[in-house]
C-alpha cells in the first residue's frame, strides 16, 4: 500500500492536457497512426450522448431528487459521454462519411455556451465548450480503427477568487483549456487468435476498478465450447487534473469462460503503482465475478474483490424483466468489508479531503411498470447503514430513501407528458421531503419543449467544476432537430439556493456525421 498524497489543481499552461500522453504511449500511438493509410474497412463507432460525464472523472455526488425528466441537466452536458462499455468498441451513431482511400469517418461535434448571473452578488460568468468525438476506419480486409474524444473550454471572462462563480477553470494560466479523453488505435493485428489489439489512451470499465491509462490492451478471441478468453493491459495511469506528467502505472490480466451454458465466470488481477512524486507504493486487486441467466427475463450477478490479499468488498445484483407485463424489477446489494484509507489514487482519490472511508452496506430496489398508454410508474428505495455507529460522518451516513415517479403520457394537447416525482429521505442528520415536476410537449415533428422543477441537496456542474447545496431548480428547455444530423437546444434555469439566486442560459448545437 502507499500513502495518499494531495492532488494539485495548480495553474498550468492552457491545453496542457493535450501534451499529457506519456512518451512511450505517444510513440506507440504515432507509430500505429502512421500505418492507418495502408488499410481499411467497416464503420467504427462511438457513443456521444449528451449530459453524461466522463467516467474517468470520478466525482462522488448525491442528488436529492428521484430520477425525473429534466434533472439530468443538473449534470451539465459540457463533459463528453462515457466511452463504450465493451472492449470491442461502440455502436455507430450519426452518418458515415466517405474518407480518403475508401475508409469511413463518423462522430459528432458539440458546441455550447453557458451564461450565469447572480442576483445578490451582482456577478456574471460566460464560458464556451466544445466536444469532438470521431472514429476513422481504413478500407481493406484488415482495417485500422482510430478513436478520438477531445474536449475544449474557453473562459470568456476571468473570475476573481472571491467571486461566487470562481472555479477550477479560473485557476489555469490561460483562458483556453483542452483535454484528451480518448485517443487510441485498434490495430489489424487481431485475427483468429486476437480479437482486440489496442494502443493509446483508453478506459476499461470491466476491471476491478476503472482502468484509465496510456498503454496497450490485448484480448484473445473466445476459444472452445466454454468460450475461454484471456486479456492483458498496462500503461501509464491518466489523471486529467494533475499539473504534472504522471509516472504512475497500472496493469493487469483477466480471464473469463462459461462453466455452463447460461453462466459466465471472470477472474481479474490488477496492479496499481503510485507516483514517486509523493512517494512510491502499490496495491494489488483480485476480483471474481459470477453471472447467470435463469431465463431470458431473469439475470443475476455477483462480485467479490480482495485488496492486497484481504477482502475489500462484495456486491450482488439482479434484474427481472417481464416484457408482456411491461414490468422491470432491479435489486442490488453492496458491502464494503474493510476501511479505505491510504491507498493508490484509483482506489481512494479523495482520501486527503474525506479521510478514511469506513465499512458500510447499501441495498437498493427499483420497480417500473407501464399501464397501457395512460400511466407509467417508477419507484424504489435505498437503504444505507454504516457498520459501526461511531464511524458515521459527514460523507458516510445512515439513511433511508424512498421515491416514486408517475408519468402520464399524452395527458394534454400537443402530445404533452406530465411527470411528477415525490421523494423522502430519513436519517439521523436530516429528514427531507422533496418534489419534482416536468411537462414535455411535442410541438411538431422536430421540436420538443419542456418546463419543470426539481430539488437537489448537492447539484454538481462538471463543466465548471462547481457544486451547490440545497438547490431548487426551475427550468425551460427547447430542442429542435434542425436536420437529420444537426440538433439545436436552448435551456434556461432559475436556481434558488441559500447563498444567492442564479439565472443561467445554455445554448448548444450538436452535429453528427
Amino acid at each position: 500500500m502507499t500513502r495518499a498524497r494531495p492532488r494539485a489543481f495548480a495553474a498550468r499552461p492552457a491545453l496542457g492536457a493535450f501534451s499529457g500522453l506519456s512518451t512511450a504511449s505517444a510513440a506507440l500511438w504515432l507509430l500505429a497512426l502512421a500505418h492507418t493509410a495502408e488499410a481499411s474497412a467497416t464503420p467504427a463507432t462511438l457513443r456521444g450522448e449528451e449530459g453524461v460525464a466522463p467516467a474517468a472523472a470520478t466525482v462522488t455526488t448525491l442528488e436529492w431528487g428521484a430520477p425525473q425528466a429534466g434533472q439530468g441537466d443538473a449534470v451539465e452536458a459540457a463533459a463528453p459521454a462515457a466511452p463504450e462499455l465493451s472492449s470491442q468498441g461502440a455502436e455507430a451513431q450519426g452518418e458515415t462519411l466517405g474518407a480518403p482511400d475508401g475508409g469511413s469517418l463518423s462522430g459528432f461535434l458539440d458546441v455550447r455556451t453557458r451564461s450565469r448571473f447572480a442576483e445578490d452578488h451582482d456577478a456574471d460568468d460566460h464560458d464556451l465548450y466544445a466536444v469532438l468525438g470521431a472514429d476513422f476506419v481504413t478500407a481493406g480486409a484488415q482495417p485500422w480503427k482510430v478513436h478520438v474524444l477531445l474536449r475544449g473550454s474557453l473562459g470568456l471572462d476571468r473570475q476573481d477568487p472571491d467571486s461566487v462563480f470562481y472555479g477550477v477553470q479560473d485557476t489555469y494560466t490561460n483562458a483556453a483549456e483542452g483535454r484528451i479523453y480518448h485517443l487510441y488505435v485498434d490495430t489489424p493485428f487481431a485475427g483468429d487468435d486476437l480479437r482486440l489489439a489496442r494502443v493509446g489512451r483508453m478506459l476499461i470499465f470491466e476491471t476491478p476498478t476503472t482502468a484509465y491509462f496510456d498503454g496497450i490492451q490485448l484480448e484473445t478471441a473466445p476459444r472452445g465450447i466454454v468460450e475461454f478468453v484471456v486479456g492483458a493491459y498496462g500503461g501509464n495511469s491518466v489523471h486529467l487534473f494533475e499539473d504534472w506528467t504522471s509516472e504512475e502505472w497500472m496493469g493487469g490480466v483477466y480471464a473469463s469462460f462459461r462453466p455452463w451454458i447460461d453462466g459466465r465466470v471472470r477472474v481479474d488481477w490488477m496492479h496499481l503503482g503510485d507516483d514517486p512524486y509523493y512517494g512510491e507504493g502499490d496495491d494489488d486487486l483480485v476480483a471474481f465475478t459470477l453471472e447467470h441467466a435463469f431465463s431470458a427475463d431473469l439475470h443475476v450477478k455477483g462480485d467479490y474483490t480482495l485488496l492486497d490479499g484481504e477482502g475489500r468488498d462484495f456486491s450482488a445484483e439482479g434484474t427481472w424483466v417481464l416484457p408482456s407485463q411491461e414490468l422491470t424489477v432491479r435489486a442490488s446489494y453492496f458491502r464494503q468489508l474493510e476501511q479505505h484509507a491510504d491507498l493508490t489514487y484509483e482506489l481512494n482519490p479523495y482520501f486527503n479531503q474525506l479521510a478514511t472511508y469506513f465499512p458500510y452496506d447499501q441495498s437498493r430496489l427499483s420497480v417500473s411498470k407501464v399501464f397501457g398508454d395512460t400511466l407509467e410508474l417508477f419507484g424504489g428505495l435505498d437503504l444505507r447503514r454504516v457498520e459501526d455507529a461511531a464511524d458515521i460522518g459527514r460523507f458516510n451516513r445512515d439513511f433511508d430513501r424512498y421515491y416514486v415517479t408517475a408519468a402520464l403520457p399524452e395527458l394534454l394537447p400537443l402530445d404533452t407528458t406530465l411527470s411528477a416525482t415525490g421523494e423522502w429521505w430519513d436519517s439521523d442528520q436530516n429528514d427531507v421531503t422533496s418534489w419534482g415536476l416536468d411537462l414535455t410537449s411535442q410541438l411538431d415533428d422536430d421540436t420538443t419543449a419542456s418546463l419543470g422543477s426539481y430539488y437537489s441537496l448537492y447539484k454538481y456542474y462538471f463543466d465548471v467544476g462547481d457544486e451547490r447545496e440545497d438547490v431548487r431548480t426551475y427550468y425551460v428547455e427547447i430542442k429542435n432537430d434542425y436536420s437529420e444530423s444537426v440538433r439545436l437546444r436552448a435551456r434556461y434555469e432559475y436556481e434558488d439556493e441559500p447563498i444567492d439566486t442564479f439565472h443561467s442560459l445554455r445554448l448548444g448545437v450538436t452535429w453528427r456525421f
Side-chain angles (χ1 to χ4, degrees):
M1 294 189 179
T2 181
R3 67 183 171 82
R5 69 280 188 207
R7 294 275 155 177
F9 289 85
R12 57 182 176 77
L15 304 181
F18 284 122
S19 61
L21 287 171
S22 66
T23 302
S25 180
L28 286 169
W29 192 91
L30 291 172
L31 177 64
L33 187 61
H35 290 81
T36 57
E38 301 176 5
S40 182
T42 57
T45 59
L46 90 119
R47 291 179 193 241
E49 296 302 323
E50 304 169 24
V52 184
T58 310
V59 181
T60 302
T61 60
L62 179 61
E63 252 331 303
W64 273 23
Q68 53 190 291
Q71 186 173 355
D73 286 327
V75 178
E76 173 65 18
E84 60 270 13
L85 298 181
S86 167
S87 301
Q88 305 311 307
E91 299 173 359
Q93 291 196 28
E95 303 173 14
T96 299
L97 302 181
D101 301 323
S104 62
L105 178 66
S106 62
F108 73 96
L109 174 63
D110 183 84
V111 179
R112 52 197 168 275
T113 64
R114 180 178 181 185
S115 299
R116 299 182 295 170
F117 307 87
E119 287 188 358
D120 296 341
H121 288 79
D122 191 25
D124 59 89
D125 181 49
H126 309 274
D127 300 292
L128 175 67
Y129 305 94
V131 177
L132 172 65
D135 282 304
F136 172 68
V137 185
T138 62
Q142 292 185 313
W144 293 73
K145 303 177 182 180
V146 182
H147 174 72
V148 179
L149 186 60
L150 311 174
R151 176 188 183 270
S153 62
L154 176 64
L156 301 179
D157 47 13
R158 205 71 169 177
Q159 299 296 319
D160 295 326
D162 59 349
S163 170
V164 69
F165 292 125
Y166 184 76
V168 173
Q169 179 81 24
D170 301 299
T171 67
Y172 299 141
T173 303
N174 298 319
E177 189 266 340
R179 300 192 183 281
I180 301 174
Y181 282 104
H182 304 158
L183 181 58
Y184 61 74
V185 175
D186 288 344
T187 75
F189 303 131
D192 293 338
D193 295 326
L194 277 180
R195 69 176 177 183
L196 180 67
R198 177 172 293 175
V199 58
R201 174 164 292 185
M202 68 192 76
L203 196 153
I204 309 174
F205 288 102
E206 298 89 347
T207 46
T209 190
T210 301
Y212 192 27
F213 62 98
D214 297 334
I216 297 175
Q217 182 188 9
L218 302 173
E219 186 174 290
T220 66
R223 302 297 296 272
I225 192 172
V226 297
E227 300 182 9
F228 185 72
V229 173
V230 176
Y233 57 91
N236 283 93
S237 303
V238 173
H239 305 135
L240 292 174
F241 291 94
E242 288 183 337
D243 64 340
W244 66 87
T245 300
S246 173
E247 296 183 26
E248 300 177 30
W249 66 278
M250 65 172 63
V253 295
Y254 56 90
S256 68
F257 64 96
R258 291 190 179 277
W260 55 87
I261 191 170
D262 295 318
R264 176 169 290 278
V265 173
R266 175 172 167 135
V267 180
D268 282 81
W269 170 75
M270 186 177 191
H271 181 83
L272 301 165
D274 216 0
D275 200 326
Y277 190 91
Y278 277 103
E280 296 184 358
D282 49 51
D283 287 308
D284 290 280
L285 277 175
V286 175
F288 303 91
T289 301
L290 174 62
E291 298 180 69
H292 178 70
F294 289 97
S295 67
D297 302 330
L298 180 59
H299 180 269
V300 295
K301 178 183 177 182
D303 294 278
Y304 176 70
T305 65
L306 297 97
L307 172 61
D308 295 325
E310 299 182 359
R312 177 177 182 249
D313 55 50
F314 165 80
S315 65
E317 60 184 73
T319 302
W320 184 33
V321 180
L322 291 177
S324 61
Q325 303 295 320
E326 296 188 278
L327 173 68
T328 300
V329 180
R330 293 185 174 89
S332 66
Y333 174 80
F334 174 84
R335 181 171 181 80
Q336 180 181 310
L337 301 173
E338 300 291 341
Q339 66 183 31
H340 292 178
D342 202 2
L343 306 174
T344 47
Y345 178 74
E346 282 73 18
L347 300 182
N348 195 3
Y350 303 110
F351 173 73
N352 291 283
Q353 291 77 32
L354 307 184
T356 301
Y357 207 53
F358 293 98
Y360 72 95
D361 61 70
Q362 187 162 354
S363 303
R364 292 178 174 173
L365 175 67
S366 66
V367 180
S368 63
K369 169 67 176 172
V370 178
F371 298 89
D373 298 327
T374 58
L375 177 63
E376 300 173 8
L377 290 178
F378 178 84
L381 58 87
D382 291 343
L383 307 176
R384 193 179 192 280
R385 297 291 182 270
V386 178
E387 183 178 85
D388 188 338
D391 296 330
I392 293 176
R394 182 179 180 186
F395 299 102
N396 199 15
R397 299 172 174 169
D398 291 350
F399 65 76
D400 297 343
R401 174 192 178 222
Y402 309 91
Y403 58 91
V404 61
T405 295
L408 302 172
E410 302 178 7
L411 176 67
L412 300 172
L414 298 175
D415 293 330
T416 300
T417 297
L418 169 65
S419 299
T421 297
E423 189 173 23
W424 302 266
W425 292 76
D426 181 17
S427 72
D428 293 338
Q429 295 79 25
N430 291 289
D431 291 317
V432 176
T433 300
S434 69
W435 60 271
L437 190 67
D438 177 86
L439 281 169
T440 297
S441 297
Q442 190 74 38
L443 301 183
D444 57 41
D445 291 343
D446 301 316
T447 307
T448 60
S450 301
L451 64 88
S453 176
Y454 62 88
Y455 174 80
S456 306
L457 179 63
Y458 299 108
K459 185 175 180 180
Y460 194 86
Y461 302 93
F462 283 97
D463 57 341
V464 293
D466 191 18
E467 183 183 74
R468 305 291 185 183
E469 296 185 19
D470 190 21
V471 183
R472 166 60 65 178
T473 302
Y474 302 88
Y475 62 88
V476 178
E477 183 173 42
I478 296 179
K479 296 179 180 179
N480 174 260
D481 292 326
Y482 182 77
S483 68
E484 291 185 359
S485 58
V486 176
R487 165 169 283 197
L488 309 175
R489 62 190 184 279
R491 182 180 177 97
Y492 165 78
E493 288 188 354
Y494 175 87
E495 297 166 303
D496 186 12
E497 53 188 90
I499 65 171
D500 208 328
T501 298
F502 297 93
H503 303 266
S504 67
L505 178 64
R506 309 174 209 172
L507 304 174
V509 57
T510 301
W511 173 48
R512 297 189 180 276
F513 53 87

